[in-house]
Amino acid sequence: MIAAIAAMLPPFNAGAQVNLPAGSTSTQLSDLMIALQFQHIKLWFAGKFSNWDLANYELRQIQINLRRAMPSPSESLRSSQATEQLQALDRAIQQKDGAAFAKAYSDITNGCNACHRASGFGSITIQVPANSPFSDQLFADQIAQGRALAHGACGLCHVISDSSMETPAFRFPAPSFSEIASRPSFSANDLRQLLTSNHRRVGPNQAMLKPKLVEYQIDAIVAFFETLQADRAR
């Protein structure tokens, strides 16, 4: 994939006057720009699908690589315009504001193109991505989806997230998800089997019916369950 994107970039002109960061080479700068392009794409789709944790992560990676690519004071993140654009993106992500995110993302994209032109690379123009090249990555917040699905499929009997806020409609003794996650003998595969079984005895007078879930919904609930296990292990 990297090779494909690199092949689409204009060839480097050895005779051109290009100001590179001190101690770097054109290859190192090109590698950083490719990484930034990937992160720029991932940031957009993370925000588009309201995966704010992922959007926050990608923005931090962009900030790190921008500092590496432009370490001189005149070109660095100390530029007031770039700083304002990045801060606007950060605010939108922290506030989980999709409209503000789209506006800030467009502004930072235009800022990137302005930097390219000022640096003699005006032929490189980036835009808001139309499609994701990352077919192996799910940009939706699978954990949040799993939490919501668990509430819908299991919340009648189980406390899913917060015992102080949740009151299951059926009060017979059903362990909370947190309690289930704390059991060393109960794995994510056990939960997957439980959610796909026709019936599962959970007590002498009770049976848990098979939830009407498709595979991607089960994957999401399992992802949420695994975060509960990880939280308890920390």
Side-chain angles (χ1 to χ4, degrees):
M1 184 181 298
I2 292 177
I5 290 180
M8 292 187 290
L9 296 175
F12 179 71
N13 183 354
Q17 294 297 315
V18 179
N19 295 321
L20 298 175
S24 70
T25 67
S26 61
T27 300
Q28 291 169 337
L29 184 59
S30 176
D31 289 345
L32 279 173
M33 290 297 109
I34 290 172
L36 280 164
Q37 187 170 11
F38 283 173
Q39 290 153 1
H40 179 262
I41 294 170
K42 289 188 174 188
L43 175 61
W44 170 251
F45 285 102
K48 179 179 179 179
F49 289 100
S50 300
N51 191 341
W52 301 114
D53 286 343
L54 178 59
N56 183 65
Y57 172 79
E58 295 299 344
L59 179 59
R60 303 305 165 215
Q61 297 307 302
I62 286 172
Q63 290 172 321
I64 290 170
N65 279 333
L66 281 175
R67 290 189 183 98
R68 290 172 177 167
M70 299 181 294
S72 66
S74 62
E75 297 176 336
S76 73
L77 295 179
R78 282 173 280 186
S79 162
S80 60
Q81 185 176 12
T83 300
E84 290 172 5
Q85 291 168 343
L86 289 166
Q87 288 175 344
L89 257 178
D90 187 45
R91 283 194 301 272
I93 291 169
Q94 301 310 318
Q95 295 170 5
K96 302 180 180 181
D97 186 332
F101 173 84
K103 171 65 167 58
Y105 186 92
S106 178
D107 288 344
I108 198 69
T109 300
N110 291 334
C112 290
N113 289 326
C115 182
H116 292 163
R117 292 162 193 146
S119 302
F121 289 98
S123 60
I124 301 176
T125 302
I126 61 172
Q127 62 182 1
V128 175
N131 298 291
S132 169
F134 302 102
S135 59
D136 61 343
Q137 182 167 359
L138 180 67
F139 285 97
D141 189 341
Q142 189 182 42
I143 295 169
Q145 289 180 342
R147 184 186 299 108
L149 285 165
H151 275 287
C154 314
L156 284 175
C157 303
H158 299 269
V159 170
I160 304 302
S161 301
D162 187 347
S163 59
S164 66
M165 300 291 291
E166 299 174 28
T167 305
F170 299 150
R171 298 300 298 167
F172 55 81
S176 69
F177 263 47
S178 180
E179 180 184 342
I180 296 171
S182 69
R183 298 176 181 176
S185 61
F186 195 84
S187 68
N189 285 335
D190 292 326
L191 178 60
R192 189 181 299 277
Q193 182 180 6
L194 183 66
L195 293 172
T196 56
S197 61
N198 289 327
H199 292 79
R200 177 71 173 260
R201 289 287 172 185
V202 293
N205 301 313
Q206 300 149 7
M208 191 182 85
L209 295 177
K210 176 184 177 181
K212 295 180 179 179
L213 300 169
V214 296
E215 186 173 357
Y216 81 89
Q217 293 174 319
I218 292 173
D219 288 342
I221 293 176
V222 169
F224 167 62
F225 178 77
E226 287 178 328
T227 63
L228 293 178
Q229 289 183 313
D231 288 343
R232 295 189 67 87
R234 290 192 183 99

